[in-house]
Amino acid sequence: MPSVAVVTTGDEASAGLIAPAEPASPDAGGLSVRVGLLGGFGLTVGAEAVGVSPRAERLVAFIALSGQSVPRSVIAGTMWPNVPESRAYASLRSTLRRLTGLSRRALTVGPGHVGLAPGVGVDLHEARSVARGILDPGTGSLWPARDGAIVARLSGELLPGWYEDWALVEAEEWRQLRLHALETLAGEFITAGHFADAVAAGGAAVRGEPLRESAHAVLIGAH
């Protein structure tokens, strides 16, 4: 879950800071809903890319990063940290109202919490599982095959161009995890004699952190 600041709310309900529960996310009708965070924000329902406002993008991304239901106090205090509490809650309610139609299917909204709707996929969570599976094969992986496609999965930056503190912390954690995984993967490719894939993995690690000596070492080994 993102590192967040919590608003001290007191009796939120009596103060009118918690709105009544908005209608729950509608049934997706069998359509898959996915949130993309790697390489930039994206929201798809079925095969359709869904556009949302920049503020709504931040909200959906924050919830997707958490991977769980998040109290409204946490969301408001993190996304609007420099405004009065009542205004932060009002901004949250306004942002939730802007999520309509297909975009609404990404979230479940209750009177005190907001979370991802059941079954919503998040590319970052899948990529983390792949990286951890490489670093610790005993944990399992969503992508057990070792081929060039896995390099692409581990090459995406998390929300590039986003400078909110919570996004930067998550981006740095993901960068370190994926760089370790890419270096390990390059070593596996070298051992298996798959040198083109090893060069791709080592090169991706170098691009992720150009001054990283271990990345350069594994790339040289691949060559």
Side-chain angles (χ1 to χ4, degrees), residues 114-166:
V114 181
L116 283 182
V120 173
V122 181
D123 61 355
L124 174 65
H125 300 330
E126 296 162 2
R128 278 176 174 163
S129 178
V130 171
R132 289 167 180 156
I134 292 170
L135 295 172
D136 184 3
T139 63
S141 171
L142 292 177
W143 201 318
R146 299 292 196 262
D147 55 31
I150 201 172
V151 176
R153 173 60 69 99
L154 297 174
S155 296
E157 295 182 27
L158 175 61
L159 298 173
W162 288 32
Y163 300 109
E164 292 86 345
D165 289 344
W166 55 268

Short mmCIF file of all heavy atoms in Angstrom, two decimals, residues 114-166:
data_model
loop_
_atom_site.label_atom_id
_atom_site.label_comp_id
_atom_site.label_asym_id
_atom_site.label_seq_id
_atom_site.Cartn_x
_atom_site.Cartn_y
_atom_site.Cartn_z
N VAL A 114 -13.05 3.13 -0.23
CA VAL A 114 -13.08 2.97 -1.68
C VAL A 114 -12.07 1.88 -2.03
O VAL A 114 -10.94 1.89 -1.51
CB VAL A 114 -12.73 4.27 -2.42
CG1 VAL A 114 -12.81 4.06 -3.92
CG2 VAL A 114 -13.65 5.41 -1.99
N GLY A 115 -12.45 0.95 -2.89
CA GLY A 115 -11.55 -0.12 -3.28
C GLY A 115 -11.72 -0.48 -4.74
O GLY A 115 -12.61 0.03 -5.43
N LEU A 116 -10.84 -1.36 -5.22
CA LEU A 116 -11.00 -1.89 -6.57
C LEU A 116 -12.20 -2.82 -6.61
O LEU A 116 -12.47 -3.55 -5.65
CB LEU A 116 -9.76 -2.66 -7.00
CG LEU A 116 -8.53 -1.86 -7.43
CD1 LEU A 116 -7.43 -2.83 -7.85
CD2 LEU A 116 -8.83 -0.89 -8.55
N ALA A 117 -12.91 -2.79 -7.71
CA ALA A 117 -14.01 -3.73 -7.89
C ALA A 117 -13.45 -5.14 -8.01
O ALA A 117 -12.32 -5.34 -8.46
CB ALA A 117 -14.81 -3.36 -9.14
N PRO A 118 -14.22 -6.15 -7.61
CA PRO A 118 -13.74 -7.54 -7.70
C PRO A 118 -13.36 -7.89 -9.14
O PRO A 118 -14.06 -7.55 -10.09
CB PRO A 118 -14.96 -8.35 -7.24
CG PRO A 118 -15.74 -7.41 -6.37
CD PRO A 118 -15.55 -6.06 -6.98
N GLY A 119 -12.22 -8.55 -9.27
CA GLY A 119 -11.79 -9.03 -10.58
C GLY A 119 -11.03 -8.03 -11.42
O GLY A 119 -10.58 -8.37 -12.52
N VAL A 120 -10.85 -6.81 -10.94
CA VAL A 120 -10.10 -5.82 -11.72
C VAL A 120 -8.61 -6.19 -11.72
O VAL A 120 -8.02 -6.43 -10.68
CB VAL A 120 -10.29 -4.40 -11.15
CG1 VAL A 120 -9.38 -3.40 -11.87
CG2 VAL A 120 -11.74 -3.97 -11.28
N GLY A 121 -8.02 -6.24 -12.91
CA GLY A 121 -6.60 -6.56 -13.03
C GLY A 121 -5.74 -5.31 -13.00
O GLY A 121 -6.16 -4.25 -13.47
N VAL A 122 -4.55 -5.42 -12.44
CA VAL A 122 -3.61 -4.31 -12.36
C VAL A 122 -2.26 -4.82 -12.88
O VAL A 122 -1.71 -5.77 -12.31
CB VAL A 122 -3.46 -3.78 -10.92
CG1 VAL A 122 -2.48 -2.62 -10.88
CG2 VAL A 122 -4.82 -3.36 -10.36
N ASP A 123 -1.74 -4.20 -13.92
CA ASP A 123 -0.51 -4.71 -14.53
C ASP A 123 0.67 -4.69 -13.57
O ASP A 123 1.53 -5.59 -13.59
CB ASP A 123 -0.18 -3.96 -15.82
CG ASP A 123 0.06 -2.47 -15.63
OD1 ASP A 123 -0.12 -1.94 -14.51
OD2 ASP A 123 0.44 -1.80 -16.63
N LEU A 124 0.74 -3.72 -12.68
CA LEU A 124 1.86 -3.66 -11.73
C LEU A 124 1.88 -4.88 -10.82
O LEU A 124 2.94 -5.46 -10.56
CB LEU A 124 1.78 -2.39 -10.88
CG LEU A 124 2.82 -2.30 -9.76
CD1 LEU A 124 4.23 -2.20 -10.33
CD2 LEU A 124 2.52 -1.13 -8.84
N HIS A 125 0.73 -5.29 -10.30
CA HIS A 125 0.68 -6.44 -9.40
C HIS A 125 1.15 -7.70 -10.13
O HIS A 125 1.87 -8.53 -9.56
CB HIS A 125 -0.73 -6.63 -8.86
CG HIS A 125 -1.25 -5.46 -8.09
ND1 HIS A 125 -0.43 -4.61 -7.39
CD2 HIS A 125 -2.51 -4.98 -7.92
CE1 HIS A 125 -1.16 -3.67 -6.80
NE2 HIS A 125 -2.42 -3.87 -7.12
N GLU A 126 0.76 -7.84 -11.38
CA GLU A 126 1.18 -9.00 -12.16
C GLU A 126 2.69 -8.96 -12.40
O GLU A 126 3.38 -9.99 -12.29
CB GLU A 126 0.41 -9.03 -13.47
CG GLU A 126 -1.10 -9.23 -13.27
CD GLU A 126 -1.91 -8.83 -14.49
OE1 GLU A 126 -1.29 -8.45 -15.52
OE2 GLU A 126 -3.15 -8.92 -14.43
N ALA A 127 3.21 -7.78 -12.74
CA ALA A 127 4.65 -7.66 -13.00
C ALA A 127 5.46 -7.89 -11.73
O ALA A 127 6.55 -8.47 -11.78
CB ALA A 127 4.96 -6.28 -13.58
N ARG A 128 4.94 -7.43 -10.59
CA ARG A 128 5.64 -7.70 -9.32
C ARG A 128 5.73 -9.20 -9.06
O ARG A 128 6.75 -9.70 -8.58
CB ARG A 128 4.89 -7.02 -8.17
CG ARG A 128 5.20 -5.55 -7.99
CD ARG A 128 4.33 -4.98 -6.89
NE ARG A 128 4.69 -3.60 -6.57
CZ ARG A 128 3.90 -2.78 -5.90
NH1 ARG A 128 2.71 -3.20 -5.47
NH2 ARG A 128 4.29 -1.54 -5.64
N SER A 129 4.66 -9.92 -9.35
CA SER A 129 4.67 -11.36 -9.15
C SER A 129 5.72 -12.02 -10.04
O SER A 129 6.43 -12.94 -9.62
CB SER A 129 3.29 -11.95 -9.44
OG SER A 129 3.28 -13.35 -9.30
N VAL A 130 5.83 -11.54 -11.28
CA VAL A 130 6.84 -12.06 -12.19
C VAL A 130 8.24 -11.80 -11.64
O VAL A 130 9.10 -12.69 -11.60
CB VAL A 130 6.69 -11.43 -13.59
CG1 VAL A 130 7.87 -11.79 -14.48
CG2 VAL A 130 5.38 -11.87 -14.24
N ALA A 131 8.49 -10.56 -11.20
CA ALA A 131 9.81 -10.20 -10.68
C ALA A 131 10.16 -11.03 -9.45
O ALA A 131 11.28 -11.53 -9.32
CB ALA A 131 9.85 -8.71 -10.35
N ARG A 132 9.22 -11.19 -8.55
CA ARG A 132 9.49 -11.96 -7.34
C ARG A 132 9.68 -13.44 -7.65
O ARG A 132 10.45 -14.13 -6.98
CB ARG A 132 8.36 -11.76 -6.34
CG ARG A 132 8.36 -10.35 -5.74
CD ARG A 132 7.09 -10.04 -5.00
NE ARG A 132 7.13 -8.68 -4.43
CZ ARG A 132 6.06 -7.96 -4.14
NH1 ARG A 132 4.85 -8.47 -4.36
NH2 ARG A 132 6.18 -6.74 -3.64
N GLY A 133 8.99 -13.93 -8.68
CA GLY A 133 9.18 -15.30 -9.09
C GLY A 133 10.57 -15.55 -9.64
O GLY A 133 11.13 -16.64 -9.47
N ILE A 134 11.15 -14.54 -10.30
CA ILE A 134 12.52 -14.66 -10.81
C ILE A 134 13.51 -14.65 -9.66
O ILE A 134 14.45 -15.44 -9.61
CB ILE A 134 12.82 -13.50 -11.79
CG1 ILE A 134 11.98 -13.66 -13.06
CG2 ILE A 134 14.31 -13.45 -12.14
CD1 ILE A 134 12.03 -12.45 -13.97
N LEU A 135 13.31 -13.74 -8.71
CA LEU A 135 14.25 -13.59 -7.61
C LEU A 135 14.13 -14.73 -6.59
O LEU A 135 15.11 -15.09 -5.93
CB LEU A 135 14.03 -12.25 -6.92
CG LEU A 135 14.33 -11.02 -7.79
CD1 LEU A 135 13.89 -9.75 -7.09
CD2 LEU A 135 15.82 -10.95 -8.11
N ASP A 136 12.93 -15.27 -6.45
CA ASP A 136 12.71 -16.37 -5.52
C ASP A 136 11.77 -17.36 -6.18
O ASP A 136 10.54 -17.28 -6.02
CB ASP A 136 12.11 -15.85 -4.21
CG ASP A 136 11.94 -16.95 -3.17
OD1 ASP A 136 12.33 -18.10 -3.45
OD2 ASP A 136 11.42 -16.65 -2.08
N PRO A 137 12.31 -18.30 -6.96
CA PRO A 137 11.44 -19.21 -7.72
C PRO A 137 10.44 -19.96 -6.85
O PRO A 137 9.40 -20.39 -7.34
CB PRO A 137 12.45 -20.18 -8.36
CG PRO A 137 13.73 -19.41 -8.43
CD PRO A 137 13.73 -18.53 -7.20
N GLY A 138 10.73 -20.10 -5.57
CA GLY A 138 9.81 -20.81 -4.69
C GLY A 138 8.49 -20.09 -4.49
O GLY A 138 7.52 -20.70 -4.05
N THR A 139 8.44 -18.78 -4.80
CA THR A 139 7.21 -18.03 -4.61
C THR A 139 6.23 -18.23 -5.75
O THR A 139 5.07 -17.84 -5.65
CB THR A 139 7.49 -16.52 -4.48
OG1 THR A 139 8.06 -16.04 -5.72
CG2 THR A 139 8.46 -16.26 -3.34
N GLY A 140 6.70 -18.78 -6.86
CA GLY A 140 5.84 -18.93 -8.03
C GLY A 140 5.80 -17.64 -8.83
O GLY A 140 6.21 -16.58 -8.38
N SER A 141 5.31 -17.74 -10.05
CA SER A 141 5.27 -16.58 -10.93
C SER A 141 4.11 -16.71 -11.90
O SER A 141 3.74 -17.82 -12.30
CB SER A 141 6.58 -16.46 -11.72
OG SER A 141 6.50 -15.46 -12.71
N LEU A 142 3.54 -15.57 -12.26
CA LEU A 142 2.49 -15.58 -13.27
C LEU A 142 3.06 -15.80 -14.66
O LEU A 142 2.32 -16.01 -15.61
CB LEU A 142 1.74 -14.24 -13.24
CG LEU A 142 0.91 -13.96 -12.00
CD1 LEU A 142 0.28 -12.58 -12.09
CD2 LEU A 142 -0.18 -15.01 -11.83
N TRP A 143 4.37 -15.72 -14.82
CA TRP A 143 4.99 -15.84 -16.12
C TRP A 143 6.20 -16.75 -15.98
O TRP A 143 7.35 -16.30 -15.94
CB TRP A 143 5.44 -14.47 -16.60
CG TRP A 143 5.62 -14.36 -18.09
CD1 TRP A 143 6.20 -15.26 -18.92
CD2 TRP A 143 5.24 -13.28 -18.92
NE1 TRP A 143 6.21 -14.82 -20.20
CE2 TRP A 143 5.61 -13.60 -20.24
CE3 TRP A 143 4.61 -12.06 -18.68
CZ2 TRP A 143 5.38 -12.74 -21.31
CZ3 TRP A 143 4.39 -11.21 -19.74
CH2 TRP A 143 4.76 -11.54 -21.04
N PRO A 144 5.98 -18.07 -15.88
CA PRO A 144 7.10 -18.97 -15.62
C PRO A 144 8.06 -19.10 -16.78
O PRO A 144 9.22 -19.45 -16.59
CB PRO A 144 6.40 -20.31 -15.33
CG PRO A 144 5.08 -20.21 -16.02
CD PRO A 144 4.69 -18.77 -15.94
N ALA A 145 7.61 -18.88 -18.01
CA ALA A 145 8.49 -19.02 -19.17
C ALA A 145 9.55 -17.92 -19.16
O ALA A 145 9.27 -16.77 -18.85
CB ALA A 145 7.68 -18.95 -20.46
N ARG A 146 10.76 -18.31 -19.49
CA ARG A 146 11.86 -17.35 -19.57
C ARG A 146 12.12 -17.07 -21.04
O ARG A 146 12.76 -17.86 -21.75
CB ARG A 146 13.12 -17.91 -18.90
CG ARG A 146 12.94 -18.22 -17.42
CD ARG A 146 12.76 -16.91 -16.64
NE ARG A 146 12.96 -17.11 -15.22
CZ ARG A 146 11.99 -17.29 -14.34
NH1 ARG A 146 10.72 -17.33 -14.75
NH2 ARG A 146 12.26 -17.43 -13.06
N ASP A 147 11.63 -15.96 -21.54
CA ASP A 147 11.85 -15.58 -22.93
C ASP A 147 11.88 -14.06 -23.02
O ASP A 147 11.79 -13.36 -22.02
CB ASP A 147 10.77 -16.17 -23.84
CG ASP A 147 9.35 -15.80 -23.40
OD1 ASP A 147 9.18 -14.70 -22.83
OD2 ASP A 147 8.43 -16.59 -23.62
N GLY A 148 12.05 -13.56 -24.23
CA GLY A 148 12.19 -12.12 -24.42
C GLY A 148 10.99 -11.32 -23.96
O GLY A 148 11.12 -10.16 -23.58
N ALA A 149 9.80 -11.94 -23.98
CA ALA A 149 8.60 -11.20 -23.61
C ALA A 149 8.63 -10.77 -22.15
O ALA A 149 8.07 -9.73 -21.79
CB ALA A 149 7.36 -12.04 -23.89
N ILE A 150 9.27 -11.56 -21.32
CA ILE A 150 9.32 -11.21 -19.91
C ILE A 150 10.14 -9.96 -19.67
O ILE A 150 9.91 -9.21 -18.72
CB ILE A 150 9.87 -12.41 -19.08
CG1 ILE A 150 9.46 -12.29 -17.63
CG2 ILE A 150 11.37 -12.51 -19.18
CD1 ILE A 150 9.80 -13.53 -16.81
N VAL A 151 11.11 -9.69 -20.55
CA VAL A 151 11.93 -8.48 -20.42
C VAL A 151 11.05 -7.25 -20.61
O VAL A 151 11.15 -6.27 -19.85
CB VAL A 151 13.08 -8.49 -21.44
CG1 VAL A 151 13.86 -7.18 -21.38
CG2 VAL A 151 14.01 -9.67 -21.19
N ALA A 152 10.17 -7.30 -21.60
CA ALA A 152 9.26 -6.17 -21.82
C ALA A 152 8.36 -5.94 -20.62
O ALA A 152 8.09 -4.80 -20.23
CB ALA A 152 8.43 -6.41 -23.07
N ARG A 153 7.91 -7.04 -19.99
CA ARG A 153 7.04 -6.92 -18.83
C ARG A 153 7.74 -6.20 -17.68
O ARG A 153 7.11 -5.49 -16.90
CB ARG A 153 6.58 -8.32 -18.39
CG ARG A 153 5.80 -8.40 -17.09
CD ARG A 153 4.51 -7.59 -17.15
NE ARG A 153 3.54 -8.13 -18.03
CZ ARG A 153 2.50 -8.89 -17.67
NH1 ARG A 153 2.34 -9.22 -16.42
NH2 ARG A 153 1.62 -9.31 -18.56
N LEU A 154 9.06 -6.36 -17.58
CA LEU A 154 9.81 -5.77 -16.48
C LEU A 154 10.47 -4.45 -16.84
O LEU A 154 11.21 -3.89 -16.03
CB LEU A 154 10.90 -6.76 -16.01
CG LEU A 154 10.39 -8.08 -15.45
CD1 LEU A 154 11.55 -9.02 -15.17
CD2 LEU A 154 9.56 -7.88 -14.20
N SER A 155 10.22 -3.94 -18.03
CA SER A 155 10.91 -2.73 -18.48
C SER A 155 10.10 -1.46 -18.28
O SER A 155 10.63 -0.35 -18.45
CB SER A 155 11.29 -2.86 -19.96
OG SER A 155 12.23 -3.90 -20.14
N GLY A 156 8.83 -1.57 -17.94
CA GLY A 156 7.99 -0.39 -17.83
C GLY A 156 8.18 0.37 -16.53
O GLY A 156 8.17 -0.23 -15.44
N GLU A 157 8.35 1.68 -16.62
CA GLU A 157 8.40 2.52 -15.42
C GLU A 157 7.00 2.69 -14.87
O GLU A 157 6.01 2.68 -15.59
CB GLU A 157 8.99 3.89 -15.76
CG GLU A 157 10.43 3.86 -16.20
CD GLU A 157 10.96 5.26 -16.47
OE1 GLU A 157 10.45 6.21 -15.85
OE2 GLU A 157 11.86 5.40 -17.31
N LEU A 158 6.93 2.89 -13.57
CA LEU A 158 5.64 3.09 -12.91
C LEU A 158 5.24 4.56 -12.95
O LEU A 158 5.94 5.41 -12.40
CB LEU A 158 5.71 2.60 -11.47
CG LEU A 158 4.48 2.84 -10.59
CD1 LEU A 158 3.27 2.13 -11.17
CD2 LEU A 158 4.74 2.39 -9.16
N LEU A 159 4.15 4.84 -13.64
CA LEU A 159 3.56 6.19 -13.71
C LEU A 159 4.62 7.26 -13.99
O LEU A 159 4.79 8.20 -13.19
CB LEU A 159 2.81 6.50 -12.42
CG LEU A 159 1.63 5.56 -12.11
CD1 LEU A 159 1.06 5.86 -10.74
CD2 LEU A 159 0.54 5.71 -13.18
N PRO A 160 5.35 7.15 -15.09
CA PRO A 160 6.36 8.17 -15.40
C PRO A 160 5.73 9.55 -15.55
O PRO A 160 4.64 9.70 -16.09
CB PRO A 160 6.96 7.69 -16.73
CG PRO A 160 5.91 6.80 -17.32
CD PRO A 160 5.23 6.14 -16.17
N GLY A 161 6.40 10.56 -15.02
CA GLY A 161 5.89 11.92 -15.09
C GLY A 161 4.95 12.30 -13.98
O GLY A 161 4.47 13.44 -13.93
N TRP A 162 4.67 11.38 -13.05
CA TRP A 162 3.84 11.69 -11.88
C TRP A 162 4.78 12.04 -10.73
O TRP A 162 5.68 11.26 -10.42
CB TRP A 162 2.96 10.51 -11.51
CG TRP A 162 1.83 10.26 -12.46
CD1 TRP A 162 1.82 10.47 -13.81
CD2 TRP A 162 0.55 9.70 -12.14
NE1 TRP A 162 0.63 10.10 -14.35
CE2 TRP A 162 -0.18 9.62 -13.36
CE3 TRP A 162 -0.04 9.27 -10.97
CZ2 TRP A 162 -1.48 9.12 -13.41
CZ3 TRP A 162 -1.34 8.77 -11.01
CH2 TRP A 162 -2.05 8.70 -12.22
N TYR A 163 4.53 13.16 -10.07
CA TYR A 163 5.47 13.65 -9.07
C TYR A 163 4.87 13.76 -7.67
O TYR A 163 5.50 14.32 -6.77
CB TYR A 163 6.04 15.00 -9.51
CG TYR A 163 6.77 14.90 -10.83
CD1 TYR A 163 6.23 15.44 -11.99
CD2 TYR A 163 7.98 14.23 -10.92
CE1 TYR A 163 6.89 15.32 -13.20
CE2 TYR A 163 8.65 14.11 -12.12
CZ TYR A 163 8.09 14.66 -13.26
OH TYR A 163 8.75 14.53 -14.47
N GLU A 164 3.67 13.21 -7.47
CA GLU A 164 3.13 13.16 -6.12
C GLU A 164 4.02 12.25 -5.26
O GLU A 164 4.56 11.25 -5.76
CB GLU A 164 1.70 12.63 -6.14
CG GLU A 164 0.70 13.56 -6.80
CD GLU A 164 0.59 13.38 -8.30
OE1 GLU A 164 1.49 12.74 -8.88
OE2 GLU A 164 -0.38 13.89 -8.88
N ASP A 165 4.14 12.58 -3.98
CA ASP A 165 5.03 11.80 -3.12
C ASP A 165 4.67 10.32 -3.11
O ASP A 165 5.55 9.45 -3.18
CB ASP A 165 5.00 12.35 -1.69
CG ASP A 165 5.70 13.70 -1.57
OD1 ASP A 165 6.47 14.05 -2.49
OD2 ASP A 165 5.49 14.39 -0.55
N TRP A 166 3.39 10.01 -3.01
CA TRP A 166 2.98 8.60 -2.93
C TRP A 166 3.33 7.85 -4.21
O TRP A 166 3.69 6.67 -4.16
CB TRP A 166 1.48 8.49 -2.62
CG TRP A 166 0.57 9.22 -3.56
CD1 TRP A 166 0.09 10.49 -3.43
CD2 TRP A 166 0.00 8.71 -4.79
NE1 TRP A 166 -0.73 10.81 -4.50
CE2 TRP A 166 -0.80 9.74 -5.33
CE3 TRP A 166 0.09 7.49 -5.45
CZ2 TRP A 166 -1.51 9.58 -6.53
CZ3 TRP A 166 -0.61 7.33 -6.65
CH2 TRP A 166 -1.40 8.37 -7.17
#
